[in-house]
Amino acid sequence: MSTHDLYTIPAELSTWNVEMAGASRFTWEYDDGRDRMLALYQKGKDKQWDSTKRIDWDLEVDPYDVLGIPDQTIAIHGTPLWERMSERTRNEVRRHGAAWQFSQFLHGEQGAMICSAKIVESVPDLDSKFYAATQTMDEARHAETYARFLQEKVGLAYPINEHLKALLDSTLSDSRWDMPYLGMQVLIEGLALAAFGVMRDITTKPLPKQILAYVMQDEARHVAFGRMALRDYYRNLSETELREREDFVIEGCYLMRDRLRGRETWENLGLSKAEVDEAMEATDHSEYLRLFRSLLFSRIVPCVKDIGLWSPRLRQAYADMGVLEMAGQSLDALMRQDEDIAEKLDAERFAQEEAERHAEVAETVELGRS
């Protein structure tokens, strides 16, 4: 089945062409480079995995209860609009919400794949090119995984959200080599990593938990890569150059915040315009979504501070968004946790499979005896 058959909103059949600027940079310096960057590159090589083997695709998923989480997480839950809905419509709300969320993950991963390929092309130092090449493969695997999940388990998809598209456009069309780092590694990947983490921790369903945990294991390295490269580079920029990067971060954060509203999901449920407006009003005032939005910046804000973009105007922008307190988060601790959760999931899952194989062998031997 074509993905276009799954889209709730007709998506363009032609490719989306972003005119890219900037130079492709070769380097003839093949010395070892930075130890920490090369260690990250080695880890990127060691941690490659195959989604067809590491993920248990035989697990069933209820498309009307993809994550197995309470309805209280739905923005309109408890409102008059929710109370008027039939159970059939509520099922569609659940399905469309999950489809929209995972569709944006999918489109973001393709964007990350293209951005990391551009980093390989444009970054001046070889150790960064090496690592970005491993990330390009990671992002291809993530896009493959989310596409399969939507096609085989959810059966519904959404085109790219306009706010995510706008940020990708400005990230890819900028001629400066550091902007794909800033737009993708810090903003888009940072927000995605936090969203994956919230969903990984609250889902009660094993298949989405596996997918989110394994993708996060990779994404933690990607954010570390952006931090390392930009921290070194931004130390030497002028005040004017830093201000330009801060402008980009502020605009990008507002785009990421607004993309979470998901108006298109409500418009595709057969609701009247008044009901769509009612749903958006509930979305804007949902206490759960307010907390969710705040948590989504738990990876971005400390990363922006870490790379040296921390002027009073940037802090004020985060204060206006209600996320300034996230600056105190420890990125290193969060990334260690991401790594540990994925490895623990592997250990539990493959130990269970090994036990089942032993039991099957023992049963076969016993049948042979009898």
Side-chain angles (χ1 to χ4, degrees):
M1 178 183 289
S2 166
T3 306
H4 283 276
D5 296 330
L6 303 181
Y7 281 129
T8 57
I9 307 168
E12 296 178 9
L13 290 173
S14 60
T15 58
W16 173 42
N17 299 326
V18 179
E19 295 298 325
M20 297 189 189
S24 296
R25 293 177 175 85
F26 288 79
T27 177
W28 314 124
E29 179 57 79
Y30 294 101
D31 286 347
D32 288 343
R34 293 165 286 187
D35 290 342
R36 289 185 65 203
M37 187 68 79
L38 291 173
L40 199 62
Y41 169 55
Q42 184 62 48
K43 194 169 186 179
K45 291 188 293 180
D46 292 340
K47 294 291 185 178
Q48 293 293 316
W49 49 278
D50 186 342
S51 67
T52 62
K53 296 177 181 177
R54 195 182 189 193
I55 293 170
D56 184 359
W57 291 104
D58 291 332
L59 290 167
E60 294 294 326
V61 172
D62 180 354
Y64 299 106
D65 189 20
V66 172
L67 294 174
I69 56 179
D71 286 341
Q72 283 78 1
T73 59
I74 299 172
I76 64 169
H77 181 267
T79 66
L81 177 60
W82 176 262
E83 298 302 326
R84 293 196 305 268
M85 286 180 172
S86 66
E87 190 55 37
R88 181 178 178 180
T89 303
R90 290 177 183 177
N91 274 334
E92 288 300 322
V93 169
R94 298 180 188 104
R95 185 185 184 211
H96 278 254
W100 181 84
Q101 187 72 270
F102 280 94
S103 294
Q104 302 319 310
F105 291 167
L106 167 61
H107 302 315
E109 297 295 350
Q110 184 184 176
M113 179 178 67
I114 292 171
C115 283
S116 52
K118 187 176 182 183
I119 290 172
V120 175
E121 178 185 24
S122 62
V123 70
D125 49 288
L126 194 64
D127 51 7
S128 291
K129 290 181 185 291
F130 282 168
Y131 180 76
T134 69
Q135 180 178 342
T136 305
M137 182 59 208
D138 289 344
E139 307 297 5
R141 180 172 57 249
H142 300 168
E144 170 202 355
T145 300
Y146 284 127
R148 182 173 178 178
F149 183 71
L150 285 165
Q151 289 166 345
E152 295 184 7
K153 304 299 182 179
V154 183
L156 195 69
Y158 273 83
I160 187 170
N161 175 266
E162 61 177 334
H163 302 294
L164 175 58
K165 191 174 184 179
L167 183 53
L168 279 172
D169 192 7
S170 59
T171 296
L172 287 167
S173 59
D174 199 293
S175 63
R176 294 165 291 188
W177 68 261
D178 64 297
M179 298 313 281
Y181 279 100
L182 192 55
M184 178 53 63
Q185 313 286 77
V186 176
L187 299 184
I188 297 176
E189 294 266 61
L191 184 134
L193 194 54
F196 297 164
V198 172
M199 295 172 70
R200 175 200 64 192
D201 294 342
I202 65 175
T203 183
T204 59
K205 303 296 184 179
L207 182 56
K209 192 176 192 73
Q210 283 180 27
I211 291 171
L212 292 162
Y214 295 153
V215 168
M216 286 188 72
Q217 190 176 32
D218 294 338
E219 302 289 12
R221 293 194 307 274
H222 303 167
V223 174
F225 173 44
R227 287 170 66 199
M228 203 178 303
L230 295 180
R231 191 190 304 129
D232 291 347
Y233 181 59
Y234 287 173
R235 286 193 188 106
N236 301 312
L237 293 188
S238 67
E239 288 296 322
T240 300
E241 290 170 321
L242 288 173
R243 186 179 179 86
E244 290 171 351
R245 272 72 176 176
E246 288 179 347
D247 289 340
F248 180 86
V249 166
I250 292 169
E251 180 183 357
C253 285
Y254 278 117
L255 284 171
M256 290 294 91
R257 184 195 65 175
D258 292 343
R259 99 163 224 239
L260 300 172
R261 300 177 77 233
R263 184 182 182 91
E264 57 266 44
T265 60
W266 305 108
E267 293 174 338
N268 280 279
L269 286 166
L271 304 180
S272 68
K273 183 181 183 304
E275 288 174 325
V276 170
D277 292 341
E278 191 177 348
M280 294 309 300
E281 178 76 10
T283 298
D284 291 339
H285 292 90
S286 165
E287 184 60 26
Y288 171 78
L289 288 184
R290 186 200 64 76
L291 177 61
F292 184 63
R293 278 191 291 266
S294 177
L295 290 172
L296 291 187
F297 283 87
S298 63
R299 312 280 180 135
I300 294 177
V301 177
C303 189
V304 169
K305 180 180 180 182
D306 182 68
I307 62 178
L309 300 179
W310 202 239
S311 68
R313 56 194 290 273
L314 189 54
R315 294 198 297 272
Q316 185 58 53
Y318 283 140
D320 293 342
M321 293 181 208
V323 297
L324 183 60
E325 71 277 7
M326 291 298 172
Q329 291 283 339
S330 169
L331 287 173
D332 293 332
L334 289 170
M335 289 189 292
R336 282 195 299 271
Q337 181 186 59
D338 296 338
E339 186 80 27
D340 291 345
I341 289 173
E343 290 182 353
K344 182 180 178 183
L345 197 60
D346 267 348
E348 292 172 351
R349 184 171 147 237
F350 292 117
Q352 180 182 355
E353 290 183 4
E354 188 67 21
E356 289 171 355
R357 279 195 292 270
H358 283 305
E360 185 179 348
V361 170
E363 184 181 349
T364 303
V365 170
E366 188 60 34
L367 285 171
R369 284 185 186 141
S370 61

